[in-house]
Amino acid sequence: MGKYDNAEMNDQTEVIRKLKDFIEGQGIILSGKYGCGKTYAIHALLHKLRRDRQKKHDDLMEGYKNKTVSWDDMNKSTFYSYEVEFIKANEMYRNIKNFDKQDGYVDSYKYAAMLVIDDLGAEYCPDSGFFQSIIDEIIDVRYELGRSTIISTNLSIVDFRNRYGGRITDRIKEWGWVYESKEDSLRGK
């Protein structure tokens, strides 16, 4: 069993309360000190979305019990069971800097139904201009397509903007929201 397998949206942390405002198709930056519950809250949201989609899928399929199912209906069923691309920023950087496979990784980040980049800003990248330009490209495509995107970072919003550029922050503000938690670490409490 994984560390976040039992994460629930009913846990009352500051970040979870804020994530209850999430609407699919939005872009979000969650900023805050390490340990304030950003990753836990994201997992709780993903569990909730997965359960909601599973219920919609089950309800749809229940209506077709003992009936022939059309391709349209199968496509709806697939829509309700889409996958989430969840990646730590360090791993994302390692994947992108590998030029042989770069295009496949970048495309998977651009076009995934939902992309979660955890701990952006914690990656070690001596060639940060290259990585930042790829992040900008990914966010630009996702913004244009209206694809759900959640970024967590330990950087303040000001530091995030300085490191990755104002364009990413501005796009996400227009397409969703940016939230900076003031909560201290919850670990060990």
Side-chain angles (χ1 to χ4, degrees):
M1 179 175 270
K3 182 177 182 175
Y4 300 109
D5 287 351
N6 294 319
E8 290 292 333
M9 289 299 286
N10 58 4
D11 293 339
Q12 291 302 307
T13 67
E14 176 188 342
V15 180
I16 284 179
R17 284 190 297 274
K18 184 61 184 170
L19 266 184
K20 287 181 179 180
D21 296 336
F22 175 77
I23 299 169
E24 287 193 58
Q26 285 186 320
I28 299 172
I29 298 173
L30 292 175
S31 165
K33 298 174 186 171
Y34 56 88
C36 73
K38 297 177 302 292
T39 302
Y40 180 92
I42 291 167
H43 280 280
L45 174 66
L46 295 178
H47 292 319
K48 178 190 180 308
L49 292 174
R50 200 168 289 122
R51 281 191 306 271
D52 292 351
R53 285 184 173 275
Q54 185 63 50
K55 181 171 178 1
K56 288 177 183 177
H57 171 269
D58 292 348
D59 291 348
L60 176 70
M61 297 317 288
E62 183 65 29
Y64 291 100
K65 228 180 215 178
N66 302 322
K67 294 179 185 174
T68 303
V69 179
S70 72
W71 279 111
D72 256 4
D73 295 329
M74 287 306 290
N75 285 336
K76 287 179 190 170
S77 172
T78 302
F79 170 77
Y80 291 132
S81 60
Y82 79 174
E83 291 300 314
V84 173
E85 180 81 37
F86 183 100
I87 188 146
K88 292 279 192 184
N90 282 327
E91 183 181 348
M92 183 182 218
Y93 172 71
R94 284 191 302 274
N95 292 344
I96 289 172
K97 79 174 188 169
N98 181 351
F99 286 92
D100 295 338
K101 298 179 182 175
Q102 176 186 336
D103 288 340
Y105 283 119
V106 171
D107 282 351
S108 72
Y109 302 142
K110 285 180 186 175
Y111 301 110
M114 175 179 256
L115 175 65
V116 177
I117 306 172
D118 193 32
D119 284 335
L120 191 59
E123 71 283 346
Y124 169 73
C125 54
D127 51 350
S128 62
F130 168 74
F131 185 61
Q132 290 164 355
S133 70
I134 298 294
I135 293 291
D136 184 73
E137 179 184 338
I138 291 166
I139 297 303
D140 184 50
V141 168
R142 298 188 66 75
Y143 165 80
E144 291 295 326
L145 296 173
R147 300 275 170 105
S148 298
T149 306
I150 301 175
I151 298 170
S152 76
T153 183
N154 291 339
L155 298 173
S156 71
I157 297 303
V158 170
D159 290 342
F160 183 91
R161 186 183 211 40
N162 290 339
R163 183 165 181 172
Y164 296 100
R167 188 169 123 140
I168 291 174
T169 310
D170 287 347
R171 290 206 163 172
I172 289 184
K173 278 182 179 178
E174 178 183 328
W175 153 47
W177 38 271
V178 173
Y179 176 70
E180 188 165 6
S181 172
K182 301 300 181 195
E183 196 156 24
D184 289 325
S185 178
L186 302 171
R187 293 189 181 120
K189 289 185 179 182

